[in-house]
Amino acid sequence: MSRLRLFPMRVAPVRRPPTTRSWTDVFYGARRPVELLLTASLRSIARRQPDAFDRLGPVRHATIRISPVDLPVAFEMRPDGETGSIRVVRPTDDPGDASARISGPLLTLLALFDGRGDADGAFFQRCIDVDGDTAAILALHNALEASELTMADILGLPRQFDPPLQTVLSIVRRWREPEVRA
């Protein structure tokens, strides 16, 4: 007796996603334009709001590593006013002279930088991790909070771009929400 097949059975080959290492190489290879944009943005903020950088005190000469856990790269920021810089580094690179490190999901870190996120809540709920000189992170947090930056400021764009940027981030947050809950 032969069986009736309602659904032909085919087995598709298993496709493996590209390794993180290759994505790291891609992002790291394209780091220079990102470094230029973020450094220009940092220096622009320093020109417009020098008092925010004065609040940092000696921390303005420190290097702080910002490590989004969902990106294959990290950022090293030296918030030294108009001479400050942001570099893109591999997350596995030796932190070297970084005096502090803050890591967490990219959207959480962005919300903290533009003042829309609760830094204390994120820390105590273990959404972010802080290592090294916590005084440097606290000084940076206080300076960011006092400067009232928008996402457009952080990205070096005119402030009128902030509402559409917030809309995009809101959509991304909602899209990523099921991923976070799982």
Side-chain angles (χ1 to χ4, degrees):
M1 180 175 202
S2 68
R3 289 188 189 195
L4 178 65
R5 289 182 128 184
L6 296 175
F7 303 103
M9 194 72 158
R10 288 190 184 162
V11 178
V14 176
R15 294 181 191 250
R16 293 187 178 161
T19 63
T20 304
R21 182 134 176 87
S22 66
W23 281 112
T24 301
D25 292 340
V26 168
F27 277 100
Y28 190 73
R31 73 186 180 279
R32 193 66 186 137
V34 174
E35 289 176 342
L36 291 172
L37 174 75
L38 293 176
T39 296
S41 171
L42 179 72
R43 292 176 181 178
S44 172
I45 294 167
R47 282 189 296 279
R48 286 190 320 253
Q49 300 181 6
D51 55 319
F53 290 86
D54 293 339
R55 284 187 183 95
L56 289 172
V59 172
R60 68 185 292 155
H61 304 294
T63 300
I64 298 170
R65 181 173 279 199
I66 301 159
S67 299
V69 295
D70 42 5
L71 280 186
V73 293
F75 305 92
E76 286 189 350
M77 177 175 66
R78 190 175 48 82
D80 196 7
E82 290 189 47
T83 60
S85 64
I86 298 178
R87 293 180 340 122
V88 176
V89 297
R90 288 184 169 95
T92 56
D93 286 353
D94 179 35
D97 62 343
S99 55
R101 180 184 65 85
I102 181 170
S103 62
L106 177 64
L107 293 176
T108 302
L109 294 172
L110 288 174
L112 295 177
F113 273 86
D114 81 351
R116 294 179 196 268
D118 176 21
D120 296 332
F123 178 76
F124 289 115
Q125 291 175 2
R126 298 182 183 207
C127 295
I128 60 169
D129 187 32
V130 176
D131 295 324
D133 185 2
T134 54
I137 297 292
L138 185 60
L140 179 64
H141 166 69
N142 292 338
L144 286 170
E145 202 171 65
S147 64
E148 298 179 359
L149 295 176
T150 66
M151 188 55 59
D153 292 329
I154 293 169
L155 296 176
L157 300 170
R159 279 200 170 203
Q160 62 260 31
F161 284 101
D162 193 56
L165 282 171
Q166 291 305 326
T167 301
V168 169
L169 287 174
S170 175
I171 291 167
V172 171
R173 278 188 196 98
R174 275 189 247 129
W175 176 65
R176 299 270 323 240
E177 214 169 68
E179 218 175 272
V180 172
R181 288 183 189 163

